[in-house]
Amino acid sequence: MIARHWRGWTSVENADAYEDLLRSKVLPGLEGIEGYLGGYVLRNDAPSEVEFVVLNLFDSVEAVKRFAGVDYATPVFEPEARALLSRIEPVATHYEVRVTR
């Protein structure tokens, strides 16, 4: 199993809209990708900005490539998401999942 980790930040004012976009469009769109196993959205509200950590699980690197393309370390954004984010992590990091419970 492969975990794809990525972080982005929004203004406090855009945080709820970004989370709603993830719930209503982005994550449901991933469910149609063969090999997608689910994921997590983590949110950390700070006084001046909100950090989001997105962790998606795939059954293989090939499944990640079906989502992100050959250059799969490049983050993938919906145009609406990019408009809501104030800064982004420039690469997605991938981990082999070794232990689950």
Side-chain angles (χ1 to χ4, degrees):
M1 182 184 333
I2 303 298
R4 178 181 170 92
H5 173 274
W6 177 82
R7 296 184 312 157
W9 294 262
T10 69
S11 65
V12 172
E13 297 78 20
N14 285 339
D16 288 342
Y18 181 66
E19 184 175 342
D20 290 344
L21 179 65
L22 290 172
R23 288 176 187 265
S24 67
K25 184 174 184 181
V26 176
L27 295 176
L30 286 168
E31 291 171 3
I33 297 170
E34 181 184 345
Y36 177 69
L37 302 175
Y40 298 92
V41 174
L42 310 176
R43 179 174 166 162
N44 181 19
D45 288 81
S48 61
E49 68 180 352
V50 178
E51 175 188 13
F52 286 89
V53 175
V54 180
L55 184 67
N56 287 306
L57 303 172
F58 296 87
D59 67 5
S60 64
V61 170
E62 290 73 27
V64 175
K65 289 178 181 178
R66 282 192 282 278
F67 163 63
V70 176
D71 185 16
Y72 63 92
T74 301
V76 176
F77 302 102
E78 296 289 336
E80 307 96 309
R82 189 63 188 104
L84 293 168
L85 293 163
S86 54
R87 61 187 178 105
I88 60 167
E89 200 165 51
V91 296
T93 306
H94 299 84
Y95 301 88
E96 183 178 335
V97 178
R98 305 294 290 210
V99 178
T100 62
R101 289 188 82 179

